[in-house]
Amino acid sequence: FSDFFRFLYNPDDHTVMGRGGESWGKIILFYFFFYSALAGFFAICLYVMLTTLDPNVPTVTGRTNRPVLAISNGDLYTMNFKDDKAWKSYTSAVEDVMSKYSAKKKKVPTATLR
């Protein structure tokens, strides 16, 4: 273990892990500028990519943006909008769900301030 501790700090040469103070200073200065430039490039790329996004339009509009994967069979989802009998089950289901949230049928407790 004495050789390992001598490697960590050599009191004869005044070196840390085999390097002197000037050498460590050059390494720290190099990596400071290197990582600063790297962070700057990342910030520029992030800024450029975020400016291409429109906040009013979603980038993903469905499960996928590839129209090739859309359903090609047009007869799969057909409904007659003029047939009231076809819509009766849907309208009754919506009315059942909305009745749970109706303020007329449900009393909402109000907090009183003192």
Side-chain angles (χ1 to χ4, degrees), residues 1-94:
F1 284 115
S2 65
D3 289 338
F4 178 70
F5 290 126
R6 191 169 200 73
F7 167 73
L8 289 179
Y9 178 70
N10 189 348
D12 298 332
D13 298 337
H14 300 291
T15 59
V16 176
M17 288 190 264
R19 297 187 177 274
E22 184 181 348
S23 177
W24 280 113
K26 288 178 184 177
I27 290 172
I28 289 171
L29 189 66
F30 169 78
Y31 280 109
F32 173 76
F33 284 113
F34 176 74
Y35 284 115
S36 297
L38 199 63
F41 290 142
F42 177 74
I44 291 170
C45 289
L46 189 65
Y47 175 75
V48 169
M49 292 298 131
L50 288 177
T51 56
T52 62
L53 297 176
D54 186 10
N56 299 321
V57 178
T59 54
V60 179
T61 56
R63 193 171 53 142
T64 178
N65 281 340
R66 299 178 188 163
V68 177
L69 297 177
I71 297 171
S72 62
N73 187 1
D75 295 334
L76 189 59
Y77 298 106
T78 58
M79 292 189 126
N80 185 3
F81 291 100
K82 295 179 181 179
D83 186 15
D84 290 336
K85 292 178 184 176
W87 288 100
K88 183 68 176 163
S89 63
Y90 295 111
T91 54
S92 64
V94 168

Side-chain angles (χ1 to χ4, degrees), residues 99-112:
S99 68
K100 295 176 186 175
Y101 300 103
S102 176
K104 295 177 185 175
K105 294 182 180 179
K106 185 177 180 182
K107 290 186 179 181
V108 178
T110 57
T112 57

